[in-house]
Amino acid sequence: MRSLVCRPRKSRCLQYDNLIARAYSEGQSPAFFRRRQLGQGRRPFSRRAVAQPVTKAHQRTLKTVTKRRVDELPQGGLGLPPVEKEVERNEYPTVVKQAKENMIRYEDCVLLTRVGGFYELYFDQAEKYGRLLNLKVARKNTVAGPVPMAGFPFFQLDRYMKTLVQDMNLSVALSEEFALDNSGKIKAGGLLFDRRVSRIISAGTLIDENFMDPYENNFLLAIHVSISDSSKPHPPTSTAPAQSSMTGQIGLAWMDLSTGDFSIQTCNAESLPSAVASIGPREVIINQDPDVLRSQGFTHLPDPNLYPLTFKDLPGAFREKSSWNNVLESPLTEQSAAQLTNQEVLAGSDLLDYGVSHLQGLGLKLQPPVRRHMSDNLEIDRNTMRALEIKETLAHRAFKGSLLHAVRRTATKSGSRLLASRLASPSASLKVIEERLDLVTYFLHAEDMREQILALLQQTSDSQRLVQKFSLGRGMPDDLLSLSKTILSMNQVAELFDSVFDESVSRSSGDNEALLPVKDLVSRLNINEPTTLAQRINEAVDEEGVQENHAVADDEAAGFSELAEQVLSGKATVLSTDQSRPGPRASKPRSARTILTPARDIEDEIWIMKRKASKALDRLHEQIDELCRQRYTLAETLREQLGAPSLTLKWTPGLGHICHLKGKDTMIPIHEVVGARSVSSSKSTRSFYYPPWTDLGRSMDQLKLRIRAEEQKVFRDLSKQVILNLVWLRRNAVVLDELDIACSSALLAHEQSLTRPIMVTSNTQNIIGGRHPTVNAGLEEEGRSFTPNDCLLSSVNRIWLITGPNMGGKSTFLRQNALIYVLAQAGLYVPAKYVELGVIDKLFTRVGSADNLSSDQSTFMVEMMETAAILKGATERSFVVMDEVGRGTTPADGIAIGAACLRHLHNQSKCRTLFATHYHSLADMLPDLDGIEYYCTRLHDGPNASFSFDYRILKGVNRSSHALKTAMLAGLPKSVIEDARGILDGIGQESV
């Protein structure tokens, strides 16, 4: 007989252990399963062995053994519910878990998670970016394993955001804390906050960050390129470019989230670099994959070294033009909607999709799109923008030394942005140019008026960005005050012009004609509704309270800085806003709450709104005044009852509402006061609770909360009024910006004796006594004078071939004529004695030398690519500046290329051209080109091997470049100079 040994006690205990494991895995207690087992008619398990009927033989010893036949054993299951496999519960803490989920959801972003007074990085992002940001990377021990983390105080957000977004061109997902209601707290297991991404911040989606450049627009540009479906991608070869399969025009759409500007345009592939350069975006999004574009022969992608590029096919939620009205301050009219091309709609859709997704629910309100045309503005490509140093210098990319630095005298930040935009994209419309020049002319002669306008403009704030903050729900009380002051200054400007217009009625017709452009501009001001808004703001907002509130915020920031230093040194603990764990009792570390929460009394409360801001607010203040009087009476009664003159009724963060004694009064017994209970004492102070003061203090706290709520209601009402006046506030801001440019340009013209250019439609260029605006300003600072020069071009003599020594001023002459065009077509006066210019459509320059090794382009290759763009793009209305074409190769090849380029410009392009070269033989190779004239600069030798440059441009050809004298100025050793002179004499100038 086969037997089987069973040990019931051990078996039953194992089942019981499994039951406990299952209970905890399902979040239930073992007692729950015991009750369920009883309900199912089964005996519950216990830790004791279950008694079994045994025979006498089995009772001889304590150790029992039961022998059974296999067929006698009960078959089947034990009748227990199936024991599920134990679930692993090694999960991250809730804060870390939320951060990990957000990192997966926003995988292309750096995630910053708000935890109390800090923003924190976790996991691989903490290790990667923590060190780059110079943050201490720590490891947080959790049941799921160590978690790398790094963080910084919340008030340093802009500092680190600048590094991540502007310097490193990264996108940042900002995860903020959102307070949970009672039901939410229960679902979250007692947590106070939910953390979710409130906004994605990239270089082109900045709104009001402190590190934004207030003098430059922050444009986000969307480029939509359509490719025919029938085209098959094929890899381009280095010998022959692929044929493009793009369909028609390219759509462009760009906006500035900080101001609400929104523009759209179409262009072709060849004009794209010029369009992008004139816009000057901070970030570019393109709907096509770059490899697909290159396979179709598209070689005009923006340089990723200049702009952060995002290649993304967006969902197209705004493909219907009617859907745009949801994000516009006023809906599209039927006429403007009908004018939009398909490519413009697609580009606008991409732009709005990207912007809305980054704002994560913030209410976007843009101005209706302004439809622009390439023909409306002077085309300036990126190479020309850099070579002419319009916005920044070529060598150090610095603002000082640029054209914008030389001419900017604006009184407002928004006026500076408009001026920068006009210089980067001057007008090509004769009507627009003349209107701008008329405004400058008026303020040049009306000196008193100009000074008063500039003084009023200096009192204004950047209303365009202020208004946009309110449209996005990010406005603050101090923004309301700034907006109010701007509106009142605007009102004074309108009143000033009204008085001038009234006086002009009795003047001559000539004076009235000069006022016409000013009247047209000022007539666009609407000050009635905004003035009412400003008065309401001044009646409601307490300016002193706002300033005091800022001071308190600065103190809190200093407190967080102290806390951060203590955390890094290990002398403090940071209490999580979700779960606070006290530190060791012995060390008593200071927490964020201890450092930052001031013991503020009701009498020290800072109110943002005036008590008369609303009737409800006034009633609440009257009630709290009554409670303050009761408090004073109660304090006096207690002082008399106890004979304690030092007694005060106060509130502290740790004890709440207490009666406080100090000095000798601490020895007074308080048991005589009914309900008094001592809570704290020291050698010099004593505190006790007193129920009447506790009840009174609670009533005051409740009123304080009601006042805060009413203040928020008043603030929301004012913010709503700002949004209702959004259209007029923006239009008025544009008028002020144009006045700013007109007045400041007139001031510049007065200071530097500038001249109004005469603009015509013919191919004329008559510049008498022209000066380089930035070089002239630099020489004047050094006490030196600039040598002015003339430049006379026409449809007959349209090319000047210029020779001369190195350092002789050829490049300066070329650039100054190009800059005079930029200034004139931007509507500004120019540095010359007399200027008559035919309006040009495109401006090209080929100057300097640089390589692009990252793109496998040598110096000569870059030079040839720039030359090719000029020869293909120049028209009869263009102005071309070319310096040293062909110098990057052998002299023979360089001369051939130079001569061929001149022939093409003369015979094909027929544009106005200044061509500087050291290849003197070119002057002898082009006798058949009657449209070329020859000019040069010279060098004069003096005694004792001295020499001087003559910077005047004179007729003729200079056959010597005097390179050895320039080399001597540069500091080459004398022996090298002498050796070079001997070699040059041996081979001869002509053979070279």
Side-chain angles (χ1 to χ4, degrees):
M1 181 178 67
R2 188 178 179 184
S3 64
L4 180 67
V5 178
C6 299
R7 292 178 173 83
R9 186 170 185 270
K10 183 176 180 180
S11 174
R12 303 287 286 184
C13 291
L14 178 61
Q15 294 174 16
Y16 180 78
D17 292 339
N18 289 337
L19 183 64
I20 293 176
R22 183 184 171 201
Y24 284 119
S25 69
E26 296 187 11
Q28 303 288 349
S29 66
F32 169 80
F33 278 90
R34 289 171 62 87
R35 290 192 298 271
R36 194 170 74 175
Q37 299 254 350
L38 289 171
Q40 295 176 358
R42 290 190 296 269
R43 292 181 62 190
F45 292 117
S46 67
R47 270 295 181 185
R48 292 174 297 173
V50 180
Q52 297 286 344
V54 295
T55 63
K56 293 182 179 180
H58 294 153
Q59 296 176 350
R60 294 174 182 172
T61 63
L62 295 175
K63 185 175 182 181
T64 62
V65 177
T66 301
K67 294 184 179 180
R68 297 284 183 92
R69 290 173 52 180
V70 175
D71 55 359
E72 294 178 348
L73 293 174
Q75 303 299 312
L78 297 176
L80 296 174
V83 179
E84 299 177 1
K85 186 178 180 181
E86 184 175 356
V87 180
E88 287 289 340
R89 299 198 54 82
N90 293 338
E91 295 182 349
Y92 292 111
T94 305
V95 176
V96 179
K97 184 180 178 182
Q98 290 174 341
K100 190 173 183 65
E101 292 173 351
N102 285 329
M103 288 175 64
I104 295 173
R105 188 177 296 114
Y106 303 96
E107 58 183 356
D108 297 331
C109 303
V110 179
L111 180 71
L112 296 180
T113 303
R114 178 73 179 263
V115 183
F118 291 82
Y119 282 99
E120 296 183 352
L121 293 155
Y122 296 101
F123 298 105
D124 57 332
Q125 291 188 355
E127 294 181 327
K128 180 177 181 180
Y129 300 110
R131 293 180 176 86
L132 294 175
L133 297 173
N134 200 25
L135 297 174
K136 182 178 180 180
V137 180
R139 290 187 177 274
K140 181 176 183 177
N141 292 323
T142 69
V143 294
V147 177
M149 59 181 294
F152 54 85
F154 75 96
F155 59 85
Q156 293 182 340
L157 177 63
D158 281 336
R159 169 188 171 187
Y160 291 102
M161 194 76 74
K162 178 184 184 302
T163 303
L164 291 169
V165 174
Q166 282 196 339
D167 300 341
M168 302 173 67
N169 290 331
L170 298 171
S171 294
V172 175
L174 211 58
S175 178
E176 295 286 2
E177 294 177 332
F178 294 88
L180 295 171
D181 55 17
N182 292 331
S183 61
K185 293 175 185 177
I186 295 173
K187 293 178 182 178
L191 298 182
L192 301 179
F193 297 98
D194 179 30
R195 290 175 178 85
R196 60 180 182 269
V197 173
S198 62
R199 190 175 155 216
I200 301 173
I201 303 171
S202 59
T205 56
L206 303 179
I207 298 176
D208 56 356
E209 283 68 25
N210 291 330
F211 56 84
M212 288 181 66
D213 187 351
Y215 302 102
E216 290 279 351
N217 281 108
N218 198 82
F219 285 127
L220 170 68
L221 170 66
I223 301 176
H224 190 95
V225 183
S226 297
I227 298 179
S228 61
D229 296 334
S230 59
S231 62
K232 296 181 179 181
H234 57 277
T237 63
S238 58
T239 56
Q243 296 297 318
S244 174
S245 300
M246 295 184 303
T247 59
Q249 297 288 304
I250 297 172
L252 303 179
W254 63 99
M255 66 178 174
D256 186 345
L257 282 178
S258 67
T259 62
D261 291 332
F262 182 19
S263 302
I264 53 177
Q265 177 181 305
T266 57
C267 68
N268 53 37
E270 289 73 22
S271 301
L272 182 60
S274 298
V276 174
S278 64
I279 296 168
R282 300 291 183 181
E283 183 182 2
V284 180
I285 51 177
I286 304 175
N287 68 306
Q288 297 286 353
D289 184 270
D291 295 333
V292 174
L293 290 173
R294 294 188 186 97
S295 70
Q296 301 303 317
F298 187 79
T299 60
H300 302 283
L301 286 173
D303 188 350
N305 297 319
L306 301 175
Y307 319 103
L309 301 182
T310 300
F311 298 91
K312 191 173 184 179
D313 188 14
L314 293 154
F318 292 91
R319 294 291 171 88
E320 294 294 332
K321 288 178 280 189
S322 59
S323 63
W324 290 18
N325 295 333
N326 298 328
V327 295
L328 299 179
E329 65 181 20
S330 57
L332 285 171
T333 63
E334 292 184 4
Q335 180 180 2
S336 58
Q339 292 175 346
L340 298 178
T341 66
N342 185 51
Q343 288 299 110
E344 291 171 342
V345 172
L346 292 174
S349 173
D350 292 344
L351 181 72
L352 296 177
D353 270 327
Y354 192 82
V356 169
S357 66
H358 275 53
L359 291 178
Q360 293 284 305
L362 289 178
L364 179 62
K365 287 298 178 185
L366 301 173
Q367 301 177 47
V370 177
R371 190 164 183 262
R372 304 183 185 277
H373 302 274
M374 291 295 294
S375 58
D376 292 340
N377 298 96
L378 171 61
E379 289 188 33
I380 305 177
D381 61 20
R382 175 66 187 176
N383 296 324
T384 302
M385 192 87 67
R386 292 177 62 248
L388 296 180
E389 301 179 309
I390 291 178
K391 289 187 176 182
E392 59 186 18
T393 59
L394 189 60
H396 305 292
R397 302 192 66 178
F399 171 68
K400 185 176 182 180
S402 65
L403 175 65
L404 181 57
H405 175 262
V407 303
R408 191 173 77 183
R409 299 291 187 276
T410 49
T412 66
K413 297 172 183 177
S414 53
S416 299
R417 293 196 297 269
L418 182 59
L419 177 62
S421 176
R422 287 186 178 180
L423 291 178
S425 183
S427 177
S429 168
L430 182 60
K431 179 177 181 293
V432 173
I433 296 171
E434 290 296 335
E435 288 175 351
R436 295 174 179 175
L437 289 172
D438 287 343
L439 287 172
V440 178
T441 301
Y442 171 78
F443 287 109
L444 178 63
H445 296 102
E447 185 175 351
D448 292 340
M449 186 73 170
R450 180 181 74 227
E451 291 180 354
Q452 293 181 65
I453 295 295
L454 289 175
L456 289 172
L457 291 176
Q458 288 173 352
Q459 300 174 20
T460 64
S461 300
D462 195 343
S463 56
Q464 290 196 33
R465 287 188 169 172
L466 287 178
V467 169
Q468 185 67 0
K469 286 177 66 176
F470 283 100
S471 71
L472 294 170
R474 298 171 64 89
M476 301 295 289
D478 54 336
D479 296 328
L480 286 174
L481 291 173
S482 298
L483 188 60
S484 171
K485 293 177 181 177
T486 300
I487 294 173
L488 294 179
S489 296
M490 197 183 301
N491 200 352
Q492 292 177 354
V493 169
E495 292 175 355
L496 183 61
F497 277 111
D498 287 340
S499 63
V500 172
F501 297 155
D502 292 340
E503 293 177 3
S504 66
V505 174
S506 58
R507 294 182 180 179
S508 62
S509 59
D511 292 337
N512 290 332
E513 290 180 2
L515 273 173
L516 287 178
V518 183
K519 286 183 177 180
D520 292 340
L521 178 62
V522 177
S523 64
R524 289 155 47 191
L525 281 174
N526 183 319
I527 60 174
N528 296 328
E529 290 82 1
T531 301
T532 303
L533 171 63
Q535 293 172 351
R536 173 67 180 130
I537 291 173
N538 291 335
E539 292 171 355
V541 182
D542 188 342
E543 186 171 1
E544 292 184 1
V546 172
Q547 294 174 353
E548 290 180 16
N549 193 52
H550 281 301
V552 171
D554 293 340
D555 292 340
E556 290 184 354
F560 266 111
S561 180
E562 177 188 349
L563 174 63
E565 293 177 1
Q566 293 184 9
V567 169
L568 292 177
S569 62
K571 297 179 181 179
T573 59
V574 182
L575 301 182
S576 170
T577 55
D578 291 334
Q579 294 174 344
S580 300
R581 296 184 178 180
R585 290 179 179 271
S587 60
K588 292 185 179 178
R590 297 179 69 192
S591 67
R593 183 172 299 173
T594 305
I595 292 176
L596 297 177
T597 306
R600 185 177 300 163
D601 206 342
I602 186 65
E603 296 176 354
D604 300 325
E605 277 294 328
I606 302 173
W607 307 116
I608 303 302
M609 298 295 168
K610 296 177 181 178
R611 61 188 304 162
K612 298 292 185 181
S614 71
K615 293 182 179 179
L617 195 58
D618 192 20
R619 286 195 302 269
L620 290 172
H621 275 287
E622 289 178 356
Q623 294 175 23
I624 208 164
D625 288 344
E626 176 59 29
L627 293 182
C628 287
R629 286 190 288 268
Q630 294 178 20
R631 171 186 178 176
Y632 176 79
T633 302
L634 179 61
E636 287 295 321
T637 302
L638 283 174
R639 291 189 192 106
E640 293 177 2
Q641 182 177 352
L642 292 174
S646 67
L647 184 141
T648 56
L649 304 180
K650 60 189 299 185
W651 175 88
T652 64
L655 300 177
H657 296 90
I658 58 171
C659 302
H660 187 70
L661 299 170
K662 60 183 179 180
K664 62 180 182 179
D665 293 341
T666 58
M667 305 304 294
I668 298 175
I670 63 171
H671 63 272
E672 298 178 359
V673 180
V674 178
R677 180 168 59 89
S678 180
V679 293
S680 174
S681 63
S682 65
K683 292 181 179 180
S684 59
T685 63
R686 186 178 184 183
S687 301
F688 63 92
Y689 286 136
Y690 183 50
W693 166 230
T694 302
D695 296 339
L696 182 61
R698 288 174 181 171
S699 299
M700 297 175 77
D701 288 342
Q702 292 174 0
L703 269 178
K704 188 164 59 175
L705 293 175
R706 291 175 63 187
I707 290 175
R708 292 292 184 208
E710 182 62 25
E711 284 190 335
Q712 287 296 321
K713 183 178 181 298
V714 173
F715 175 73
R716 287 194 298 269
D717 291 342
L718 291 174
S719 300
K720 183 178 179 180
Q721 291 301 315
V722 172
I723 296 174
L724 291 176
N725 284 274
L726 192 65
V727 175
W728 287 116
L729 290 172
R730 281 176 168 167
R731 292 181 182 178
N732 291 346
V734 172
V735 174
L736 293 186
D737 293 344
E738 294 189 21
L739 282 173
D740 190 8
I741 290 182
C743 292
S744 59
S745 299
L747 177 63
L748 177 71
H750 175 72
E751 291 175 349
Q752 300 186 1
S753 301
L754 304 183
T755 300
R756 173 171 178 161
I758 300 172
M759 306 303 295
V760 295
T761 57
S762 62
N763 293 336
T764 300
Q765 179 176 322
N766 296 323
I767 300 175
I768 307 298
R771 308 187 302 274
H772 193 294
T774 59
V775 176
N776 182 51
L779 291 176
E780 287 182 351
E781 290 181 0
E782 300 174 0
R784 302 161 58 191
S785 60
F786 185 89
T787 303
N789 276 297
D790 304 339
C791 185
L792 308 177
L793 296 175
S794 65
S795 56
V796 178
N797 300 318
R798 53 182 177 271
I799 299 178
W800 277 21
L801 179 62
I802 304 170
T803 54
N806 297 105
M807 294 292 294
K810 300 188 302 298
S811 296
T812 301
F813 177 73
L814 266 59
R815 287 181 170 94
Q816 81 182 34
N817 285 280
L819 289 175
I820 286 175
Y821 268 109
V822 172
L823 292 172
Q825 296 196 202
L828 307 178
Y829 277 38
V830 298
K833 292 182 178 179
Y834 174 85
V835 174
E836 182 182 359
L837 299 175
V839 178
I840 60 175
D841 61 351
K842 300 178 183 179
L843 177 62
F844 295 101
T845 62
R846 165 49 274 192
V847 298
S849 62
D851 54 31
N852 190 353
L853 298 181
S854 62
S855 300
D856 195 22
Q857 297 171 357
S858 65
T859 303
F860 183 67
M861 182 62 177
V862 171
E863 177 186 329
M864 289 297 98
M865 291 176 66
E866 294 177 1
T867 302
I870 294 173
L871 299 181
K872 291 178 181 178
T875 68
E876 291 186 13
R877 294 183 57 228
S878 301
F879 181 58
V880 173
V881 168
M882 304 187 78
D883 190 12
E884 309 298 342
V885 173
R887 66 178 172 183
T889 183
T890 64
D893 290 341
I895 291 171
I897 291 173
C901 289
L902 279 169
R903 288 184 181 278
H904 186 280
L905 292 170
H906 183 276
N907 298 329
Q908 305 297 327
S909 303
K910 299 180 180 179
C911 56
R912 286 159 273 179
T913 305
L914 298 179
F915 193 102
T917 183
H918 286 290
Y919 296 140
H920 317 122
S921 56
L922 285 175
D924 305 323
M925 299 174 63
L926 305 169
D928 56 320
L929 305 182
D930 54 0
I932 298 182
E933 293 190 341
Y934 302 96
Y935 287 81
C936 65
T937 60
R938 302 182 185 277
L939 182 146
H940 300 294
D941 290 314
N944 302 322
S946 64
F947 59 90
S948 61
F949 293 103
D950 185 355
Y951 296 109
R952 292 177 299 166
I953 302 294
L954 304 173
K955 273 217 169 195
V957 178
N958 192 331
R959 301 288 179 175
S960 177
S961 293
H962 301 282
L964 297 184
K965 294 180 179 178
T966 304
M968 185 169 62
L969 286 176
L972 262 67
K974 186 176 181 180
S975 59
V976 175
I977 299 294
E978 294 299 329
D979 191 16
R981 184 175 288 112
I983 295 172
L984 185 62
D985 292 340
I987 61 178
Q989 292 271 5
E990 294 300 326
S991 62
V992 176

